[in-house]
Each structure stands twice: as structure tokens, then as C-alpha cells.
Amino acid sequence: MAQNIRFEHPDKYTILVIDDEKRIREVTYTMLTKEGFEVAIAETGEIGMKMIDERHYDIVLLDLMMPGISGLDVLSHLKSHHPYSVVVVITGYATLEHSIEAMKKGAFDFIPKPFSPQDLRVVIIKAIEFIRTLHDIANEKSRMGVLINQLSGGVMATDSQKRVALANPAFLKMIDYFEEDAIGRLVGDVLRNKKIEGMIDEALSMHEEKFADLTDEIDFGDNILSIRCIPFRDRLGRNLGTITVVNDITALKKMEQLKSDFVSMVAHEVRSPLNSIGMQLKVILDGLAGDVTEKQKEILSRASEKIKALNNLSTELLDLARIESGLIMQEKEKLDIDKLLRDQTNFFQEAARTKGIRLELDNLPELPPVLANLGNMEEVLSNLISNAINYTPDNGRIVISARVEKKYLCITVRDTGFGIPAEDIERIFERFYRVKNEKTRHIIGTGLGLPIVKSIVEAHNGKIKVESELGKGSTFFIYLPLVL
Ligand code: ADP
């Protein structure tokens, strides 16, 4: 078979034959040059060694038994000085021990004398495949190296002993590390940050069946860094080390803060004149400024409605800004969920009744308390219930319920309303996003209710989910962690 295989690009490979036996040198030289390889020959170990030092040979065919410097000596020299040359030893007496010893010292393969051109071909094909793999790995490694070094994000890899195996310049800059080489040092000595080290510990001890991205944001000097840490594993799932990716998000955070401050400022500034306009309209509407005709009343009422909507918008913008700047987390208490749900259901009875909607509280099981902020939770429920009322046609039904699910308390608000189209469902938690269709077009809203709900729930380490069927209704699920 091997006889039929043509070597691909043999001219790309250089081969050196070191053998004191003239016949072997000649046979190999003739055969390999005929194939297109560039071949050089040396008749002693001394000459061979000199040639090796002068230029690179991809493959060295090396006789083990030579007078003077032995093949094994040449092999040792090659391995320590020219590790990228692939060595095939030629064993004169076909003694297995010699070949084994040579392999132990780093020879790639051996070929016993006497050998046929066919034997030689097989061994050269294998050596070339090996060289190609070596090249591929080296290319890949250098490509990766360039890539990682050029990344603007910081990347660091550690081994399982928490020693730094790789750290790109961006990483070292972000953690203010200007000393000599960080490679090989313990993470603790290089980082001087307990939080990142803690994440690395956690990643290293992560169970093989679990794969989580550990993320955090840390204050580092004047900067805010976002950190992601993951373990990397071998094929058996054992943790071999960790990779940490760091991004400087200081500018992003500042922008967010500016935006939030700006929105708060505008909302705040708009609110008092709006209130004042609203009040003056009411004075006129109530007839305190003189008689008002029915027509005027109608126009003023509509204006007053719009003022209310604007007022609502500014309140919600303020709420959102407050929530996003982390101001809501202050006072948490053990909340009696049963009471909260009862109060909220009662509060909205009137609004539901005007639309002929049945608003009911389910039979609740005994519920454990959750640690939460009362005002925030009232806001969550009032948003969900008022949405349910708004987006349910007359004579519908809304059911509020709660139960324990694993380590969470799950509150649900279910309605028999319009439902939410599948293409919108992912987006209704985005700021200002409103579903626009025939059914909802006339309903006034800001598109800020659900983002507020989501922010509050997440600030309580909870989750929100929605299921909906168009024309049938929607159910919103709020999961709050239980006090354990
Ligand atoms: P708003 O109600 O002020 O428009 P929200 O953020 O509370 O803003 O809701 C966003 C959108 O999600 C709404 O405009 C509506 O289209 C949709 N939505 C919310 N709740 C429901 C619900 N219970 N049934 C149907 N659609 C809903």
C-alpha cells in the first residue's frame, strides 16, 4: 500500500542520513531524492552533529552503532538542542534493547537493518504526519497566543494548584501587576484580591456534573471590574484549572449612573408643574372658577387624564431610577405573604368590579415568611394585578395564588385576558416596551411597570416568569427565595 502513496510536497522536508555504512547512505539517498526530498548525508556522528548545528533538518535517520560518537550521543544532543527534528534510528543488529533505549531518549521510531525501500517509505510517512501535527499544534498555539495577547479584556488561566499558567497584558494591567513574570506564581501572590481568589477556589472545587459561570463585579482601586470565572476540564470531567476573564466596566457604570441621574432629574422636575396643572384643572372642573359647559368639561377631563398619565410616567421613571441605583434594598423584613396578597386583592376589588372582572384570592396553603421589602412587594403585586385588570376584557377572571416550590415561594397572578403574542413575550420586561395591537391600542400605559417588577424581584434574588396564550390569558410567576 505504502508504495502507492505519493508524498505530498516532499520538497518541503529536509532529511539527514547519518550512517557509517556507505551502502545504506547511498540507498536511502537515492530513494529519498527520487521522491523529491532534500537529502543530506553524514558518514560519522561527528560530521552529523556539526551539520545539525548548522541548519535545521526535519527528519534525521540515525544509525545507532557508529565508531566515534555513537548514535545515542547524537540523539541526546538533538533532543536537547534541536527538539523539532524528528529522529528515526537505524538499528544495525536489530537489537530490541537499543531501539527501546533510543525511543526512551526521544527517538520517534526505529527501522531495523536491512530494510527495503518499502520499510523506509512507511517510516518516513509516519514521521511526516507527526511533523505536520507538530506544526499544526505550534501554529494553533501561536495563533492563540497572539489572540489572547491582543485582547482588550483580561484573561488569566491557572492550573489546579492555583498557579498562574497564562496571563495576558490586559489582565496584568487591570490588576496593577507590574512585577516580573507572573507565570508559575501562586494566584494569591499575583492577585492580591480575595474575591477573585475565592471565585477561583469555587471554580476548582466545582463538581464535575455542574458547569457554572461564576460572575461578579468588584471595586478595584478606582475601577469597577466585571469578573467571570470557569473551570476547565479533561475528558473525564476532572478540573484541570480555571480561566478568569476580566473586563473594566468603569466607564459603562458611570454612563449608567449618569443616565439614571438624568432621568431622575427630568422626571422630578416635570412632576411638580404637572401636579400644579392637574390641580388647576380640577379647580376649573369642580366649577370653583365659574360655570363650565358640558363640552368644556369633556375637554378638560381628557386633558386631566393625560396629565395623570404623564404624572404616572414620571413616578415610574423615578421608581426605576431608584431601583436601579440599588436604593431599594434597605429595609427587608419577614413578610406575611398571606396578608400582603389579601390586602392587594381587596385594594383592587373596586377597579375589577367596574369592568365586571372577578378578582379572587385562591385558597392559600400555610405560607412561610419571605425576607423582602414591604413597599417593593406591594409595588410588584399592584403592577401585576393592575396589568391583569387592564389587559383582560370585561367579565373576565383574575386569580391570585401562592405556593412553596423547592426553596422558593411562588406567587402567581393569572388572568383570562388578551394574552401576549409569542414574539413580544421576551420583550415585555424591557423598558418602554408595549404590545401594540387592536386589543391593547387604547389602553394607557408607560411600558415601565414590568421592568420595575423585574428589577425589584431580581434585587431580592428572585425570578420572574410568564406564560401566556393569545386569546386565553396570561400567568405571571414571581419566585422569592425562602428564609432558610
Ligand atoms: P404598561 O402596562 O404600562 O404598558 P408594563 O411594563 O406593565 O407596561 O407591561 C408591558 C406590556 O406587557 C404591556 O403594554 C402589555 O402589552 C403587556 N402585558 C403586561 N401584562 C399583561 C397581561 N396580564 N396580559 C396581557 N398583556 C400584558
Side-chain angles (χ1 to χ4, degrees):
M1 247 274 283
Q3 233 159 4
N4 304 326
I5 299 171
R6 292 193 65 82
F7 292 104
E8 273 180 55
H9 307 295
D11 53 324
K12 280 210 268 178
Y13 302 96
T14 49
I15 304 179
L16 174 65
V17 186
I18 310 176
D19 201 315
D20 61 330
E21 224 178 294
K22 189 158 175 263
R23 205 179 47 84
I24 296 278
R25 286 199 306 272
E26 281 171 4
V27 170
T28 35
Y29 182 86
T30 316
M31 186 219 146
L32 293 172
T33 34
K34 220 159 84 195
E35 290 288 351
F37 291 103
E38 189 190 331
V39 189
I41 45 176
E43 58 227 50
T44 63
E46 285 84 351
I47 299 175
M49 203 110 104
K50 228 173 121 219
M51 291 172 74
I52 291 160
D53 287 341
E54 274 162 13
R55 62 164 295 187
H56 168 75
Y57 291 96
D58 296 302
I59 303 172
V60 178
L61 288 168
L62 177 66
D63 184 15
L64 282 187
M65 294 295 183
M66 288 182 291
I69 297 185
S70 77
L72 283 178
D73 292 336
V74 179
L75 177 63
S76 308
H77 178 76
L78 266 166
K79 283 291 119 188
S80 53
H81 292 86
H82 309 281
Y84 293 109
S85 294
V86 174
V87 183
V88 176
V89 296
I90 306 170
T91 43
Y93 306 107
T95 56
L96 208 55
E97 290 98 279
H98 283 129
S99 315
I100 291 173
E101 202 183 338
M103 299 287 268
K104 275 191 196 154
K105 286 196 167 164
F108 168 69
D109 204 349
F110 64 92
I111 175 165
K113 276 189 213 173
F115 52 81
S116 64
Q118 163 83 340
D119 297 334
L120 188 59
R121 268 177 161 274
V122 172
V123 103
I124 296 289
I125 287 170
K126 274 205 282 177
I128 287 178
E129 266 168 19
F130 182 65
I131 292 169
R132 283 217 193 103
T133 314
L134 281 184
H135 282 178
D136 286 350
I137 293 172
N139 283 346
E140 199 53 40
K141 223 175 137 185
S142 90
R143 225 188 340 247
M144 284 287 284
V146 171
L147 200 83
I148 288 172
N149 279 337
Q150 293 306 315
L151 283 179
S152 59
V155 180
M156 179 191 64
T158 70
D159 62 13
S160 60
Q161 305 300 311
K162 288 209 293 174
R163 283 183 197 283
V164 178
L166 174 158
N168 72 350
F171 181 86
L172 297 174
K173 182 166 172 276
M174 278 180 208
I175 59 155
D176 281 335
Y177 188 84
F178 292 115
E179 287 166 42
E180 280 295 282
D181 213 357
I183 309 297
R185 301 191 59 181
L186 281 173
V187 162
D189 298 340
V190 174
L191 274 180
R192 293 177 286 258
N193 183 291
K194 288 278 165 244
K195 226 169 173 183
I196 307 182
E197 209 183 330
M199 287 169 82
I200 291 172
D201 283 331
E202 202 181 322
L204 277 176
S205 57
M206 199 182 287
H207 194 262
E208 61 182 73
E209 273 158 29
K210 193 176 152 199
F211 191 84
D213 222 352
L214 305 168
T215 56
D216 208 345
E217 283 176 15
I218 59 164
D219 287 323
F220 199 88
D222 292 336
N223 296 332
I224 304 168
L225 303 179
S226 105
I227 318 280
R228 278 180 62 204
C229 188
I230 46 168
F232 65 87
R233 299 181 166 139
D234 63 10
R235 275 190 292 173
L236 298 175
R238 288 173 301 208
N239 289 340
L240 292 181
T242 61
I243 294 185
T244 307
V245 179
V246 183
N247 279 300
D248 190 334
I249 52 166
T250 320
L252 208 70
K253 283 276 160 184
K254 273 197 186 135
M255 287 247 293
E256 254 178 35
Q257 187 58 42
L258 272 177
K259 198 181 69 187
S260 196
D261 289 351
F262 176 74
V263 170
S264 299
M265 199 246 323
V266 173
H268 199 258
E269 290 300 311
V270 161
R271 217 146 60 133
S272 4
L274 275 182
N275 271 335
S276 145
I277 299 170
M279 258 147 53
Q280 292 176 45
L281 281 179
K282 191 171 170 353
V283 169
I284 303 175
L285 269 171
D286 288 351
L288 299 175
D291 288 346
V292 191
T293 67
E294 276 310 307
K295 188 72 196 162
Q296 288 167 339
K297 233 187 207 163
E298 198 191 312
I299 296 169
L300 289 176
S301 300
R302 257 187 274 139
S304 172
E305 281 297 310
K306 296 282 180 215
I307 295 285
K308 251 194 233 151
L310 268 178
N311 216 330
N312 211 5
L313 172 68
S314 56
T315 311
E316 294 201 330
L317 279 173
L318 277 173
D319 279 351
L320 198 62
R322 202 162 40 92
I323 290 162
E324 288 184 346
S325 60
L327 285 176
I328 53 154
M329 293 302 292
Q330 300 127 341
E331 299 140 24
K332 280 199 201 165
E333 52 185 300
K334 277 192 180 177
L335 281 193
D336 179 352
I337 295 296
D338 197 299
K339 180 170 183 320
L340 174 78
L341 298 184
R342 223 164 275 285
D343 288 351
Q344 289 294 316
T345 317
N346 287 338
F347 183 81
F348 282 97
Q349 278 311 334
E350 185 53 38
R353 204 172 299 134
T354 54
K355 283 185 79 181
I357 292 173
R358 259 195 301 153
L359 169 61
E360 298 168 350
L361 183 63
D362 217 359
N363 270 338
L364 297 182
E366 180 107 11
L367 295 172
V370 290
L371 205 56
N373 180 288
L374 177 60
N376 288 161
M377 284 306 133
E378 284 174 349
E379 205 166 344
V380 165
L381 281 160
S382 83
N383 264 305
L384 293 182
I385 299 174
S386 60
N387 274 351
I389 295 175
N390 278 338
Y391 300 104
T392 297
D394 290 358
N395 307 320
R397 185 168 175 229
I398 299 168
V399 181
I400 319 288
S401 189
R403 58 176 188 272
V404 171
E405 244 188 71
K406 292 187 185 149
K407 289 177 182 166
Y408 291 88
L409 181 99
C410 173
I411 301 172
T412 54
V413 178
R414 193 169 75 237
D415 64 49
T416 56
F418 304 129
I420 305 159
E423 64 268 25
D424 295 304
I425 211 152
E426 291 291 320
R427 306 200 55 192
I428 55 170
F429 296 102
E430 289 173 17
R431 279 178 243 178
F432 303 112
Y433 193 83
R434 306 198 66 220
V435 178
K436 293 221 169 67
N437 56 32
E438 279 313 309
K439 298 255 188 315
T440 60
R441 200 172 300 282
H442 62 280
I443 300 168
I444 298 172
T446 58
L448 286 173
L450 289 179
I452 290 178
V453 169
K454 187 167 186 242
S455 301
I456 293 178
V457 172
E458 285 179 353
H460 283 79
N461 300 320
K463 282 179 278 191
I464 181 163
K465 169 179 113 172
V466 56
E467 282 172 8
S468 185
E469 202 176 327
L470 216 51
K472 291 250 168 81
S474 315
T475 309
F476 284 81
F477 300 80
I478 300 287
Y479 294 89
L480 296 169
L482 291 174
V483 189
L484 293 175

